[in-house]
Amino acid sequence: MSYWNDAGGIHILGGDLETMGNQANLSRAALPCQADVGGLIGQSAPMHLLNDLIGRVSRSTSPVLLIGDTGTGKELVARAIHFGGLRCEKALVTVDCSALTPTLVESELFGHVKGAFTGADCSRQGLLQTAHEGTIFLDEIGELPTFLQAKFLRALQEKEIRPVGSTERIQIDVRVIAATNRDLEAGVRGGTFRQDLYFRLNVVQIRLPPLCEPTRCSLSARSQMARCED
């Protein structure tokens, strides 16, 4: 399946949308969850297309990468995807990667056990474990420290985490939605963002329009799967 509209600045490219469609068909018998789409307003063709894509990706478990300037509604889109999807009754955990203290970011995401470091007076569950069976929304993923990107990628691939100071591995099942206002492809070329992590997150990409261009948006889905056909 493919769609292109130069006038609206919209494009959807085939890929994981086929899988999303199949999963949506399998889940039609289930009662739909209430979507929290407050703040997502607009009657333009790009907005209708955005809402349609949100409806389709919400019924999959594919990672989603939201790209757009600050204030363009990336968190609103993330909430709409989660609360309109199969995991709507589970937790949506929001993480602002730019606000995490560099010395504690690993503990925040993966948790820690008592005595793992100075000040660790008790064990603490990490945010990835908190989001188990739900969704984790990683806002400003481009701010994630490079030393932690490899561990985060491994957690997504292996579906397990190891808290700081522990030898025990904990199984996790999370749907990942990431957002950024940075050019991650430039970060890959510059060595500040891992290419393999970028590919892992960039299965479905939604590019939100700048505030100065409210009628334009760009949507795309990318995958190594077979091309969708009409």
Side-chain angles (χ1 to χ4, degrees):
M1 178 190 70
S2 62
Y3 175 84
W4 184 273
N5 182 342
D6 274 335
I10 307 165
H11 60 279
I12 297 178
L13 304 178
D16 225 29
L17 291 180
E18 182 176 42
T19 300
M20 296 172 200
N22 291 339
Q23 291 177 340
N25 290 334
L26 291 175
S27 65
R28 291 189 194 281
L31 293 175
C33 299
Q34 179 69 33
D36 182 1
V37 293
L40 279 178
I41 58 176
Q43 298 299 319
S44 64
M47 287 304 299
H48 283 296
L49 186 58
L50 173 61
N51 289 330
D52 177 69
L53 184 61
I54 287 173
R56 282 192 272 175
V57 302
S58 65
R59 288 176 171 80
S60 81
T61 57
S62 300
V64 179
L65 179 62
L66 307 176
I67 299 177
D69 296 339
T70 300
T72 52
K74 296 187 292 296
E75 184 169 354
L76 291 174
V77 172
R79 291 179 62 83
I81 292 172
H82 172 74
F83 287 107
L86 305 175
R87 299 176 180 237
C88 60
E89 296 182 354
K90 301 297 183 177
L92 169 64
V93 177
T94 298
V95 183
D96 184 354
C97 295
S98 65
L100 293 174
T101 305
T103 55
L104 296 177
V105 61
E106 185 174 8
S107 171
E108 289 286 339
L109 288 176
F110 299 97
H112 65 258
V113 297
K114 182 178 179 180
F117 50 84
T118 303
D121 299 327
C122 60
S123 297
R124 180 178 178 182
Q125 181 174 283
L127 295 175
L128 281 166
Q129 187 178 355
T130 301
H132 179 62
E133 295 186 337
T135 302
I136 189 164
F137 173 52
L138 298 163
D139 198 11
E140 302 306 338
I141 187 66
E143 304 291 339
L144 192 68
T146 53
F147 78 88
L148 201 56
Q149 291 176 21
K151 185 171 182 178
F152 181 64
L153 174 64
R154 187 163 54 252
L156 297 183
Q157 291 175 334
E158 304 298 330
K159 296 185 178 181
E160 63 180 21
I161 59 172
R162 183 171 63 83
V164 177
S166 174
T167 58
E168 178 186 2
R169 296 188 180 276
I170 301 172
Q171 296 295 312
I172 59 168
D173 173 19
V174 296
R175 202 262 176 92
V176 178
I177 303 176
T180 184
N181 60 13
R182 288 190 175 191
D183 184 346
L184 293 187
E185 291 185 0
V188 170
R189 293 192 297 270
T192 60
F193 201 84
R194 291 181 63 98
Q195 184 180 52
D196 45 7
L197 178 57
Y198 174 68
F199 287 148
R200 168 67 62 170
L201 298 173
N202 194 38
V203 176
V204 177
Q205 183 186 112
I206 301 179
R207 187 177 296 272
L208 300 179
L211 296 178
C212 60
E213 299 181 55
T215 63
R216 297 176 65 86
C217 67
S218 175
L219 315 174
S220 64
R222 298 188 179 93
S223 174
Q224 296 180 354
M225 298 176 62
R227 183 178 60 185
C228 293
E229 297 180 355
D230 292 331

